[in-house]
Amino acid sequence: MMRSIWLCADDYGMAPGVNAAIRDLIERGRLNATSVMTAQPACDADAARALLDCVGADKNAAIGLHVTLTAPFRPLTPNFTPLSDGAFPTLTPMLLRALARQLDRAALAREVDAQFTRFAELFGRAPDFVDGHQHVQLFPQIRDAVLAATAKHAPGARVRQGGRAQPAGLGDPKGMLLDALSRTFKANAAAFGLATNPAFAGTYTFSSATDFSRIFPSFLNGLPDGGLVMCHPGFVDATLERLDPVTQLRQREHAYFASDAFLADLQKADVTLARP
């Protein structure tokens, strides 16, 4: 039976090369969603206008907010805490603080609200969906701020949960953590009246030896209708090299999604991209 899924490119706004690669794939009909890092310099009015032009009046891709709360990125709001050299903490310290409930709730709420407000300023509307860079939307305390802000600014938006169609096993500790965090996230989202994706896929080890074209079909196995696959296509430029260790893999993802092999893999799995 044919299934319709969401293929979402994260990190629009991180760097000009990432922006260009995502727009290219949307124009080719190879993506149907992208989430935007509104706090970054590469997400300015010109980048937003280019994305809106690419999506077009027919709205051939959904545009979401990619809540960003980890280094090397910096907050939109003054007096955010904690900071490290003016930037958010790196992923592990942020997760540990969240698990220990040591984050400043008021500071979180102000920052997440500011990222929603910036999205509305850039795109003239609320986001179609909400997720988080490095899955921060799932973390304790942060999820409270994200869900409350979504209910306030974009009550019709769906929010991304990271639970798999089949629970992760002992050989996938990251998947197990995302599954566990997502159980609470889904329950809390339902309490706010917010919709979530039925299942999630797309995580893998960002190793230089990874053959993305080989592993992508596995993301489709067991993914239900309406499921979501996360991806990170991009072209390497100086900004990306400065901000993120994942560079060449982004180009490999772009090359795969632009290829006939990607279309063949969708057809073999009886999968099509959902219409926004």
Side-chain angles (χ1 to χ4, degrees):
M1 183 179 296
M2 184 68 70
R3 294 165 290 156
S4 295
I5 67 163
W6 294 95
L7 180 59
C8 180
D10 290 356
D11 300 345
Y12 190 90
M14 178 181 281
V18 172
N19 296 354
I22 291 172
R23 292 196 303 268
D24 175 67
L25 292 173
I26 291 174
E27 288 173 351
R28 294 171 184 260
R30 306 301 176 88
L31 295 173
N32 58 355
T34 185
S35 51
V36 180
M37 305 174 82
T38 60
Q40 308 319 312
C43 188
D44 56 13
D46 289 340
R49 189 176 306 110
L51 181 57
L52 287 170
D53 289 345
C54 176
V55 168
D58 291 338
K59 197 176 179 184
N60 57 9
I63 304 175
L65 173 63
H66 201 49
V67 175
T68 304
L69 295 169
T70 53
F73 306 105
R74 296 172 179 266
L76 289 176
T77 52
N79 304 318
F80 184 88
T81 183
L83 293 176
S84 178
D85 295 327
F88 295 116
T90 56
L91 176 60
T92 298
M94 181 60 92
L95 174 59
L96 292 176
R97 284 177 177 268
L99 290 171
R101 275 66 173 181
Q102 293 177 344
L103 295 173
D104 185 312
R105 294 180 183 273
L108 277 176
R110 288 193 299 269
E111 179 60 27
V112 174
D113 273 345
Q115 294 187 25
F116 270 89
T117 299
R118 179 62 174 157
F119 186 100
E121 292 171 351
L122 289 169
F123 293 95
R125 60 176 178 83
D128 296 314
F129 62 93
V130 179
D131 55 38
H133 187 56
Q134 299 185 311
H135 311 289
V136 294
Q137 83 280 7
L138 303 176
F139 297 179
Q141 292 192 285
I142 295 175
R143 65 189 170 219
D144 299 333
V146 170
L147 293 172
T150 304
K152 173 183 175 182
H153 296 282
R158 63 186 184 276
V159 288
R160 180 191 293 178
Q161 63 91 18
R164 275 47 171 187
Q166 299 295 327
L170 294 176
D172 183 8
K174 181 177 180 179
M176 292 178 66
L177 176 61
L178 292 179
D179 284 344
L181 292 173
S182 293
R183 284 192 288 272
T184 302
F185 183 84
K186 288 187 290 185
N188 291 4
F192 275 97
L194 299 172
T196 58
N197 50 298
F200 171 81
T203 59
Y204 65 97
T205 301
F206 293 121
S207 164
S208 60
T210 299
D211 182 351
F212 186 75
S213 64
R214 182 182 61 82
I215 65 172
F216 180 82
S218 68
F219 299 152
L220 305 178
N221 293 338
L223 194 69
D225 192 65
L228 183 147
V229 180
M230 168 189 73
C231 62
H232 299 86
F235 299 136
V236 178
D237 59 21
T239 302
L240 180 61
E241 291 180 324
R242 176 173 58 84
L243 292 175
D244 196 79
V246 182
T247 54
Q248 294 299 325
L249 279 174
R250 292 181 186 266
Q251 293 201 157
R252 291 184 206 171
E253 289 196 24
H254 175 272
Y256 170 70
F257 290 128
S259 72
D260 291 340
F262 168 61
L263 298 181
D265 287 337
L266 291 183
Q267 185 176 26
K268 184 178 180 180
D270 290 327
V271 166
T272 188
L273 300 186
R275 181 70 182 173

